[in-house]
Amino acid sequence: MKITLHKQVKYFEVDTHFKLKLGHLFKLLQEAAIEHSQKVGLGSKTLVDKGSVWILNRMQAEILRAPEYLEDLTVVTWHKGSKGYRAYRDFIVYVGNEKVALASSRWLYFDMQRKRIVRIPEETSAAYTTESEAAMDNQIDSWRAEPDFAPMVVKPISIRTSDYDPLGHVNNAVYFDYVETLAAYAFEAFTGLAHLKIEFKKELGQGVETVQAGLAEAQTGYVFKIFNRDTVYAAGALSLCS
């Protein structure tokens, strides 16, 4: 079962170049995933009422080109199956027949009462059905973020009330706002990202007023992390548009 979401790029979603902001792109992916869960009877509120929730653990994306103001987007997503504690979901974003972004993600199933990751119930995985198609090369299990580096650039970021979701922590899609803010701060001629990988390490809950976003050069592109002192909330790798 594949889910399709249609959306037109609005003015408040674009940057100074009239291109869709990174955070809004990933909010669309999130909305498509939520829509899928809703259609199979496992919507966000339904799961929370039952004491469970999906947690985004890793995501990798290739942005072929940034969608622009007033372009009509089609987001297609599907469940690629589950294995033990992990479930997999892919995405393709189109403008007309043109692919503009690809993404692959790994999710974990969290028991809110026991406060730990648990095996995904068979009936939960079966509700989504499984598609074999891959949006991109699946390296999501073999890749792991390496947050132990000294940043060459650090950007303090204030956390806003609007960053929190109904579960009381900073929404995963907001981290992409932080990454884009960091990249724009680090590179004067920044025009967007071509590739991005991110691993979510620790929940960023209420009570934290600011975080640090750090960036360093790597063998291929750059590595980044969202952190405070000895706590790393997310880390990953990115490359810039040429």
Side-chain angles (χ1 to χ4, degrees):
M1 178 182 184
K2 291 187 176 182
I3 294 296
T4 301
L5 181 69
H6 298 285
K7 171 75 174 179
Q8 186 181 63
V9 179
K10 302 300 184 182
Y11 183 80
F12 72 91
E13 298 172 330
V14 297
D15 60 17
T16 55
H17 303 287
F18 285 87
K19 294 182 179 180
L20 185 65
K21 297 173 185 176
L22 187 68
H24 280 289
L25 173 61
F26 284 91
K27 287 181 178 71
L28 285 178
L29 303 189
Q30 183 181 74
E31 284 299 317
I34 292 171
E35 178 70 13
H36 195 171
S37 291
Q38 193 71 35
K39 283 187 179 295
V40 300
L42 296 171
S44 298
K45 192 173 185 306
T46 300
L47 284 177
V48 169
D49 289 344
K50 291 181 178 180
S52 300
V53 64
W54 287 110
I55 295 177
L56 179 59
N57 174 237
R58 295 181 187 176
M59 178 170 276
Q60 60 181 19
E62 180 178 359
I63 302 169
L64 304 173
R65 79 163 176 87
E68 299 181 4
Y69 177 50
L70 292 181
E71 284 192 316
D72 292 317
L73 305 181
T74 301
V75 182
V76 182
T77 186
W78 60 95
H79 175 64
K80 286 183 59 182
S82 61
K83 180 174 58 178
Y85 301 86
R86 305 166 182 172
Y88 302 88
R89 173 175 295 280
D90 277 14
F91 305 84
I92 300 178
V93 183
Y94 296 89
V95 173
N97 294 322
E98 177 192 6
K99 292 182 181 179
V100 295
L102 314 169
S104 180
S105 60
R106 190 174 84 177
W107 302 71
L108 306 176
Y109 199 71
F110 186 77
D111 186 309
M112 299 172 68
Q113 293 183 335
R114 289 185 281 177
K115 297 186 182 302
R116 64 183 179 89
I117 304 299
V118 297
R119 287 186 175 273
I120 301 166
E122 290 185 12
E123 62 272 18
T124 298
S125 183
Y128 292 92
T129 72
T130 299
E131 303 289 337
S132 60
E133 181 183 353
M136 55 194 307
D137 292 340
N138 192 1
Q139 302 172 346
I140 206 158
D141 278 332
S142 60
W143 172 80
R144 188 176 180 84
E146 298 295 341
D148 188 19
F149 64 88
M152 67 179 191
V153 176
V154 175
K155 172 66 174 173
I157 296 178
S158 297
I159 297 175
R160 307 158 297 180
T161 301
S162 59
D163 292 345
Y164 295 105
D165 63 18
L167 297 176
H169 57 68
V170 173
N171 187 273
N172 291 125
V174 175
Y175 284 76
F176 298 99
D177 289 331
Y178 298 167
V179 172
E180 188 170 49
T181 298
L182 171 64
Y185 176 76
F187 304 103
E188 185 176 354
F190 175 72
T191 59
L193 301 182
H195 297 87
L196 175 70
K197 295 180 180 180
I198 188 169
E199 182 176 6
F200 296 94
K201 297 285 192 178
K202 183 177 176 59
E203 173 185 320
L204 183 46
Q206 295 179 353
V208 180
E209 296 183 353
T210 61
V211 291
Q212 308 293 314
L215 184 82
E217 195 166 2
Q219 288 185 341
T220 56
Y222 300 87
V223 290
F224 68 88
K225 59 183 174 181
I226 310 299
F227 68 102
N228 264 337
R229 300 182 181 87
D230 296 329
T231 302
V232 176
Y233 300 102
L238 61 85
S239 64
L240 304 176
C241 292
S242 56

